[in-house]
Amino acid sequence: MIVGISGASGSAYAIAALRALRAVPDVETHLVLSQQARQTIALETDATAADVEALADVVHRDENLAASISSGSFHTEGMLVVPCSMKTASAIAYSFNANLLVRAADVCLKEKRRLVLMVRETPLHLGHLRTLTQLAELGAVILPPVPGMYAHPKTVDDIIGHAIGKALDQFGIDAKSFARWTGA
């Protein structure tokens, strides 16, 4: 499974996703961080980029367009981009493969593999919405980290856990990180 981290706000979501995936047997994570992600991690968390990289099985440099995950012949279950900036979403939507994060996402689309984008932008203007529509038409899952209040979250970690659980559900992975709705 590929995890891409863009420079959008929401580094805590990426860290939670990597921790959840680490706890799942038989899931190998391939991580790629954008340059801006490294700065955002430092600004938003007590972690360093190296700390985040340590949560993955394999780390790829964003500038390495010859990495294994840049080819469709390298089999993966898909890719989660968390958080996903509108810059990254736009590059993916229009196949602007200038870095490995975007190229790996493009490969998932062309190979019909699951691509889940946890888009972190608000409010959205018409250009953003058109980009997200383009991505959905290409087969991407647009999954903004919207909290489920039915679970009565008590902490920020509860809210993050819910969003990550919903994202990993898209890959058939039950991270057991949130309370599922069982009815009224």
Side-chain angles (χ1 to χ4, degrees):
M1 170 115 173
I2 304 166
V3 175
I5 305 175
S6 81
S9 181
S11 302
Y13 290 105
I15 293 167
L18 287 166
R19 285 182 177 146
L21 287 167
R22 192 168 193 79
V24 178
D26 302 322
V27 172
E28 181 180 86
T29 54
H30 287 252
L31 176 64
V32 59
L33 287 89
S34 74
Q35 189 59 41
Q36 189 61 44
R38 295 173 181 286
Q39 183 176 1
T40 304
I41 289 166
L43 291 171
E44 292 184 343
T45 73
D46 293 331
T48 65
D51 295 333
V52 174
E53 289 174 338
L55 297 171
D57 295 300
V58 180
V59 177
H60 301 278
R61 294 286 162 232
D62 198 29
E63 63 276 2
N64 182 9
L65 288 170
S68 58
I69 60 173
S70 71
S71 173
S73 67
F74 184 77
H75 182 72
T76 69
E77 294 301 315
M79 182 173 185
L80 172 65
V81 182
V82 53
C84 183
S85 67
M86 283 309 301
K87 176 183 177 183
T88 298
S90 297
I92 295 167
Y94 296 98
S95 302
F96 187 67
N97 295 329
N99 60 45
L100 183 59
L101 194 158
V102 174
R103 173 61 186 165
D106 193 52
V107 166
C108 287
L109 289 173
K110 79 180 187 70
E111 298 294 332
K112 306 290 188 228
R113 296 177 187 151
R114 182 69 67 177
L115 174 63
V116 176
L117 306 175
M118 295 188 75
V119 178
R120 275 282 303 116
E121 188 64 66
T122 188
L124 298 168
H125 63 62
L126 185 57
H128 296 151
L129 294 170
R130 286 184 176 149
T131 297
L132 296 177
T133 298
Q134 168 83 1
L135 286 162
E137 289 171 346
L138 292 170
V141 175
I142 310 303
L143 201 151
V146 177
M149 295 303 172
Y150 59 81
H152 302 283
K154 307 239 182 320
T155 67
V156 171
D157 285 341
D158 291 343
I159 292 169
I160 291 170
H162 182 269
I164 294 306
K166 296 290 286 183
L168 295 181
D169 275 355
Q170 295 296 309
F171 298 94
I173 297 172
D174 184 359
K176 300 185 185 350
S177 63
F178 70 105
R180 296 185 182 276
W181 180 250
T182 57

